[in-house]
Amino acid sequence: MKDLIVNYENENGQMIKQEYDRIFDFTEEMESNKADIPMLDYGNVTATFFEKRTKNFDTIDDLYHHCVEIMK
């Protein structure tokens, strides 16, 4: 079971899907210095939490901040 499944549109208009075992894995990746992480301004974001609840976000940055808040 994945805690977070993210679909978003990249700069080329392609829809990308990424899955994370834990929400922390997503936030940790976004805080890393990796070159291949999603850009914060990528849009049309749909996140599925715990394979049940789906929520839409304007950008990856909005999703990141939401995840930080729910981990508090």
Side-chain angles (χ1 to χ4, degrees):
M1 179 163 152
K2 302 292 183 183
D3 280 2
L4 179 62
I5 301 170
V6 180
N7 292 286
Y8 61 90
E9 189 174 339
N10 70 8
E11 72 274 8
N12 298 323
Q14 293 177 298
M15 289 304 293
I16 307 295
K17 178 180 180 179
Q18 291 188 289
E19 299 181 354
Y20 299 90
D21 290 330
R22 301 172 304 151
I23 293 174
F24 178 76
D25 295 334
F26 169 73
T27 58
E28 188 175 67
E29 179 178 282
M30 295 308 296
E31 294 167 357
S32 74
N33 291 328
K34 291 182 183 177
D36 61 346
I37 63 171
M39 299 296 292
L40 292 174
D41 63 348
Y42 285 170
N44 197 19
V45 180
T46 301
T48 303
F49 297 91
F50 309 107
E51 297 183 4
K52 294 180 182 178
R53 194 183 101 212
T54 300
K55 185 170 171 82
N56 295 316
F57 297 90
D58 291 331
T59 64
I60 291 287
D61 188 49
D62 293 338
L63 170 60
Y64 167 75
H65 288 293
H66 178 79
C67 289
V68 168
E69 285 300 312
I70 63 175
M71 289 190 323
K72 284 185 179 179

